Amino acid sequence: MQNFMKKIILLLILINCQVYSQTNKFSGTWGSQKCKDCKKEYFFTITIAQSNYMISGTAQVTSEHKELNSEVLDVTGYVYPLGDRAQIKLIDKGGSGSSAFLMIEDGVIQFTKRGGSDLVPKDLILKKLYE
């Protein structure tokens, strides 16, 4: 009986440590660098909050060229179990959307559009702007 109690206590300690050690790597405001040498100059920002394995937030493309600007897009998605990759959907007010894959490494996010409408750029490297 005493051995069983020790195992239960050890299990509870491990569960508590796992809960406290979880970090929400994707939370914050992320942005792309302006592409000065490109024909299309734009700035992509995404503000997301991660709670456990769920993601929600907003995104927007801004540019000096009016045709490249987007309205505020709703972002929803989930984080894969290891915590370094996520799948998100970006949806505008009209219901059009696109999906994207996020991968975080060394404090930057690689954003890769998977499909859908042309609401957002195809591939970007995003740096954290704000917590």
Side-chain angles (χ1 to χ4, degrees), residues 54-117:
M54 300 302 295
I55 288 180
S56 62
T58 60
Q60 187 172 18
V61 177
T62 55
S63 174
E64 295 172 0
H65 306 286
K66 291 182 182 181
E67 67 275 3
L68 297 178
N69 288 330
S70 76
E71 60 188 61
V72 176
L73 308 169
D74 288 325
V75 176
T76 58
Y78 61 93
V79 178
Y80 289 98
L82 295 177
D84 61 345
R85 291 183 273 159
Q87 179 76 35
I88 61 170
K89 289 186 180 183
L90 301 109
I91 302 170
D92 67 8
K93 292 178 186 174
S96 296
S98 60
S99 62
F101 180 76
L102 304 176
M103 190 164 128
I104 192 164
E105 188 175 321
D106 297 331
V108 297
I109 292 179
Q110 180 180 347
F111 175 95
T112 306
K113 182 177 148 189
R114 290 290 176 120
S117 62

Side-chain angles (χ1 to χ4, degrees), residues 11-93:
L11 180 64
L12 290 174
I13 290 172
L14 288 174
I15 290 172
N16 284 338
C17 289
Q18 188 175 25
V19 170
Y20 287 117
S21 68
Q22 178 184 359
T23 59
N24 297 329
K25 297 177 184 178
F26 291 97
S27 292
T29 299
W30 301 82
S32 66
Q33 297 287 340
K34 277 194 175 180
C35 183
K36 295 177 183 173
D37 299 329
C38 300
K39 292 179 184 175
K40 298 180 180 180
E41 296 177 15
Y42 55 82
F43 188 69
F44 178 75
T45 56
I46 184 168
T47 301
I48 50 181
Q50 178 186 345
S51 176
N52 295 326
Y53 294 105
M54 300 302 295
I55 288 180
S56 62
T58 60
Q60 187 172 18
V61 177
T62 55
S63 174
E64 295 172 0
H65 306 286
K66 291 182 182 181
E67 67 275 3
L68 297 178
N69 288 330
S70 76
E71 60 188 61
V72 176
L73 308 169
D74 288 325
V75 176
T76 58
Y78 61 93
V79 178
Y80 289 98
L82 295 177
D84 61 345
R85 291 183 273 159
Q87 179 76 35
I88 61 170
K89 289 186 180 183
L90 301 109
I91 302 170
D92 67 8
K93 292 178 186 174

Side-chain angles (χ1 to χ4, degrees), residues 112-130:
T112 306
K113 182 177 148 189
R114 290 290 176 120
S117 62
D118 290 334
L119 300 172
V120 293
K122 189 172 181 174
D123 291 308
L124 295 168
I125 298 295
L126 304 172
K127 293 183 180 182
K128 191 172 245 185
L129 303 175
Y130 313 104

